[in-house]
Amino acid sequence: MRSAALSLLGITVLLLFLSHTFFFPAPAAAPVVHPKVSLLHGGHIPPEPDHRTKTKAPPSASPAAASAAGTPAAADSRSTPPTVGATGTGAPGLGGHGPFGPESVAPYMPHGQEDRRCVPRREQALPSRPLNLTVPADSAEWPINCASFDGAAELCAAVKTAAVRREVRREVMVGVANSNVQGQLAKWIEANRRAGISNMLIVAIDERLPQWLESQKVACWPRPDKALGSHKISAQKFKFVRSFLTVGASVLMTDIDVVYLQNPFDHLWRDADIEGTTDGWDDGSAYGWLEQLDDPSLGAYGRFRPAMRITAWNSEAEHAWNSGLWYAAATHASLRLMTILAYRMEHEPNTWDQAAFGEEVARPARDGHHAAGIVKRALSYWCFANSKTVFRRLRAEAGSTHRPVVVHANYHQPKQPRMDAVYDRWHLGQADALGRFSTEPTAVVPAPELEVNSLHSINDGFVSGSDTRNALAAVKGGGCRPQPSLHGVRVSVAVLPVKACAPADAVCSAASDVAVRRGSSPPELLLLVVGSSEAEPARLFLQSASAAGVKNVLVACDGLVAALQGQGVTVVDASSDVPADASAASRVARLRWALVRRLVEHGYGVLSAAAPTHFVSDPFDALYRDADVEAMTVGYNHVIDDPSMGVHALLPRLAHRGVRAAPLLRDADGGERKARAPHGGAARHRRLGGSGARRRGGRRQRV
């Protein structure tokens, strides 16, 4: 028996190797491209970390405490990029590490500023744009469009039945189920009622379930469907949510492997189109972190680039947004998102709904793949908790009084024992209920360490969604000019009106003269901000812009006016605009963003480019103008594999990851955007395919 099992294992490994070798061979004579994971560690793969020592550390230990306990500090888990050359200024030809030296990236923070207060504190939030609701909040007509599609009348009736049971109308909790899960559904309904949830609605996809739901006094929308299997059923949810949004109902979409302990509607922020739950277990894995890419082949100046890792948003967090639990406000942006996802589920039968959801939530518009333009928020992983957070961290805190809003049993198989333990712990008050799993480890490993030796080529293939290699095809098909939407969505932006400049504002006055040269509406300009050491790169920049036919160029200088005059462009001395507290190293960056903000506030679209940029053609011809920010960036699906979660549940232990490397956006994550990053940024973005610049429009709204 043992020899047979070993033989079967050997055959499985051989088949995996052969399938990867013969079906996905490396192209002949292709240039060598090192995988991202090796670039994170200076071109080599570090040894596998010893996870055994980490399971002994308390889950909330500080790096110092972890070190004292024999556990490597998580903040130092990345390999330090090797020193290259002498320390320099980062300017071309001066040696050093270029603009992004090894010290430019903050470490992964495993426990950071964890906030377990689950009630939204809206007075502390930064201002955000008003949501563009499909039905105005003060409209007396609701629901709407009750005869616009098949089943609309029945849906409107069901929504009225469910939503009227809650003081705040127009939002419902929606699950998709058939009669095969009736037992689990019964306990889900009972737990919901204990949590004070009354506005439940089930999309019943077989003919038997509606009668049972009626006996339980639960609202129902019958949508018979022959889909079988959890993933096939789950893939239907996007078209269902699109229908809810069409009639004007906001939706908390939920799987039924979820145990509600409090009413989730009391814990939503309602400042975003999509509020999603995360598969993360600490601040880094839940909300993202910066890490350093290191490609020594690019030399001392170009080798280091910071990358923003956006992680476990349960479904793919560019990724890891969980498609099993999320809230969609009834806005036009949410409706566009559901349209794109429903299209993809229909036309990509092998795409996992979890992967597609995360891709569309996190990745920018690119080429013909127009994005929905949503504002998103990541909900607290301590409040909208996954089962890894609960059973690896919360379980270890003896005497903890923290009560999550909800626990999603998404990391474990079988699910029911975990759900029972959560139910018993908080609904029945059995303080030791989580102790049923006391033999399991209680520590978590930082995400960068889990990545070190994972089987990317196999695991990533299980969860990848859209083809991320279609940029070259788009260029061949239509050059760098904007492509039509693949999904039939259209996004427009509302811009600020042009304001008159103050008499003493030389930069604004110059901008008003420059922007009209293109004759566009709203007015746009190319902004170059340079310091005293960038005379030669600036001259090359201006020569290429002139050759490309770009006439609306404004140069703002910090002490370099004389050297650039006579280039046929408008040059203005902006030294007095440098913030008073700016250090010598940050003067140009601080000046750039100060000017961008001022020009945007005055109603000008700004294409901001750094001096080491060469224009081959007019970049304004390649802009889509369907997003607040259009920038150079890249992203992809990626898997984090935590073997300690058990081999019996491969997919639940995989948390999706993504990376965006933006070489020319050194300052793009600073200021207000950086402050909002942990809980979702408000800016809609698009990846530019061919321009090394970035465009920033006014504080724009999608309509």
Side-chain angles (χ1 to χ4, degrees), residues 110-375:
H111 304 306
Q113 300 296 320
E114 296 170 331
D115 192 341
R116 302 193 189 186
R117 294 171 295 178
C118 296
V119 177
R121 295 168 308 287
R122 297 180 180 86
E123 70 282 356
Q124 298 179 12
L126 292 172
S128 60
R129 75 185 73 210
L131 298 181
N132 191 10
L133 299 172
T134 56
V135 181
D138 58 356
S139 174
E141 181 185 0
W142 185 88
I144 62 172
N145 299 322
C146 293
S148 61
F149 56 89
D150 180 39
E154 294 85 351
L155 176 58
C156 286
V159 163
K160 283 183 177 180
T161 300
V164 77
R165 295 171 182 164
R166 179 167 170 77
E167 182 180 351
V168 180
R169 301 180 57 208
R170 302 183 179 180
E171 57 186 7
V172 290
M173 175 186 287
V174 176
V176 180
N178 58 28
S179 55
N180 293 332
V181 294
Q182 186 171 308
Q184 186 178 359
L185 185 59
K187 190 156 189 176
W188 180 80
I189 293 171
E190 196 267 339
N192 290 352
R193 286 174 171 156
R194 281 180 175 266
I197 304 168
S198 59
N199 53 332
M200 295 176 282
L201 191 153
I202 298 297
V203 179
I205 58 174
D206 69 7
E207 296 178 351
R208 291 190 297 163
L209 189 59
Q211 185 176 356
W212 180 82
L213 290 170
E214 185 178 359
S215 70
Q216 300 297 309
K217 295 182 172 54
V218 175
C220 170
W221 185 36
R223 293 279 90 189
D225 193 294
K226 297 185 182 300
L228 297 174
S230 60
H231 289 308
K232 292 296 184 182
I233 293 174
S234 186
Q236 311 296 313
K237 66 178 62 170
F238 303 123
K239 69 178 183 181
F240 294 144
V241 173
R242 180 178 61 183
S243 297
F244 280 89
L245 300 179
T246 298
V247 302
S250 298
V251 175
L252 179 65
M253 172 53 68
T254 174
D255 289 347
I256 61 172
D257 60 341
V258 172
V259 182
Y260 289 94
L261 307 173
Q262 302 184 61
N263 193 323
F265 292 98
D266 295 334
H267 302 275
L268 297 172
W269 287 71
R270 295 182 180 83
D271 62 349
D273 301 292
I274 302 293
E275 299 186 51
T277 57
T278 165
D279 283 336
W281 54 90
D282 56 25
D283 278 16
S285 62
Y287 307 135
W289 74 96
L290 286 174
E291 63 186 7
Q292 189 73 276
L293 297 182
D294 178 14
D295 187 350
S297 69
L298 288 173
Y301 179 77
R303 67 180 295 181
F304 297 115
R305 285 298 183 270
M308 178 63 190
R309 299 299 305 282
I310 309 176
T311 62
W313 286 23
N314 228 324
S315 164
E316 178 232 309
E318 215 163 7
H319 305 142
W321 272 64
N322 199 304
S323 64
L325 179 57
W326 44 281
Y327 177 81
T331 65
H332 290 281
S334 296
L335 189 55
R336 285 192 296 267
L337 178 64
M338 294 305 111
T339 298
I340 293 172
L341 286 167
Y343 178 96
R344 290 190 58 186
M345 291 298 98
E346 181 181 353
H347 293 84
E348 302 173 23
N350 296 322
T351 294
W352 188 19
D353 68 288
Q354 183 90 333
F357 179 71
E359 286 169 356
E360 298 306 329
V361 166
R363 295 182 65 199
R366 65 270 181 200
D367 303 316
H369 195 120
H370 295 208
I374 62 168
V375 176

Side-chain angles (χ1 to χ4, degrees), residues 48-59 69-74 77 441-446 449-450:
E48 183 176 4
D50 185 354
H51 297 301
R52 291 172 299 176
T53 60
K54 290 176 175 58
T55 60
K56 300 176 182 179
T71 304
S77 62
T442 56
V444 290
V445 180
E449 295 185 35
L450 292 176

Side-chain angles (χ1 to χ4, degrees), residues 620-638:
F620 290 94
D621 292 338
L623 297 176
Y624 281 71
R625 297 175 178 83
D626 64 344
D628 302 284
V629 177
E630 299 187 50
M632 290 182 63
T633 183
V634 66
Y636 61 92
N637 268 347
H638 174 52

Side-chain angles (χ1 to χ4, degrees), residues 358-615:
E359 286 169 356
E360 298 306 329
V361 166
R363 295 182 65 199
R366 65 270 181 200
D367 303 316
H369 195 120
H370 295 208
I374 62 168
V375 176
K376 57 181 179 279
R377 168 179 285 277
L379 295 165
S380 167
Y381 62 94
W382 282 108
C383 302
F384 291 75
N386 58 69
S387 56
K388 183 173 183 177
T389 298
V390 170
F391 288 95
R392 284 297 175 86
R393 296 194 61 188
L394 192 57
R395 179 173 63 84
E397 299 181 355
S400 173
T401 59
H402 177 65
R403 183 186 184 100
V405 175
V406 57
V407 176
H408 189 180
N410 57 318
Y411 266 103
H412 294 89
Q413 290 284 1
K415 296 175 180 289
Q416 197 59 49
R418 306 284 171 165
M419 296 172 67
D420 290 343
V422 170
Y423 181 94
D424 294 347
R425 167 65 182 86
W426 282 287
H427 278 313
L428 301 185
Q430 297 178 11
D432 61 344
L434 302 185
R436 300 168 192 172
F437 304 93
S438 59
T439 59
E440 295 181 354
T442 56
V444 290
V445 180
E449 295 185 35
L450 292 176
E451 289 186 308
V452 172
N453 282 332
S454 62
L455 300 175
H456 302 296
S457 60
I458 297 177
N459 290 339
D460 287 359
F462 292 151
V463 300
S464 293
S466 63
D467 183 1
T468 60
R469 298 165 294 176
N470 58 7
L472 181 59
V475 171
K476 288 181 177 179
C480 293
R481 292 184 178 275
Q483 307 293 311
S485 170
L486 296 172
H487 311 107
V489 299
R490 179 179 178 275
V491 179
S492 59
V493 292
V495 300
L496 293 173
V498 177
K499 294 195 307 184
C501 300
D505 192 339
V507 173
C508 182
S509 298
S512 64
D513 294 335
V514 168
V516 297
R517 297 173 188 172
R518 186 173 180 83
S520 60
S521 180
E524 300 173 324
L525 59 90
L526 171 60
L527 176 66
L528 170 64
V529 179
V530 291
S532 57
S533 64
E534 297 180 292
E536 186 57 27
R539 276 194 285 267
L540 294 174
F541 177 105
L542 296 174
Q543 289 174 10
S544 71
S546 177
V550 185
K551 300 178 180 179
N552 51 332
V553 182
L554 174 62
V555 182
C557 298
D558 180 20
L560 197 65
V561 176
L564 295 179
Q565 287 178 334
Q567 299 288 319
V569 297
T570 300
V571 182
V572 61
D573 185 356
S575 302
S576 60
D577 291 287
V578 178
D581 61 343
S583 65
S586 67
R587 285 181 64 88
V588 171
R590 295 285 300 277
L591 176 60
R592 177 185 301 120
W593 293 114
L595 295 183
V596 167
R597 176 177 180 176
R598 189 194 312 171
L599 295 177
V600 165
E601 287 177 339
H602 278 77
Y604 296 102
V606 179
L607 179 62
S608 176
T613 302
H614 189 92
F615 294 98

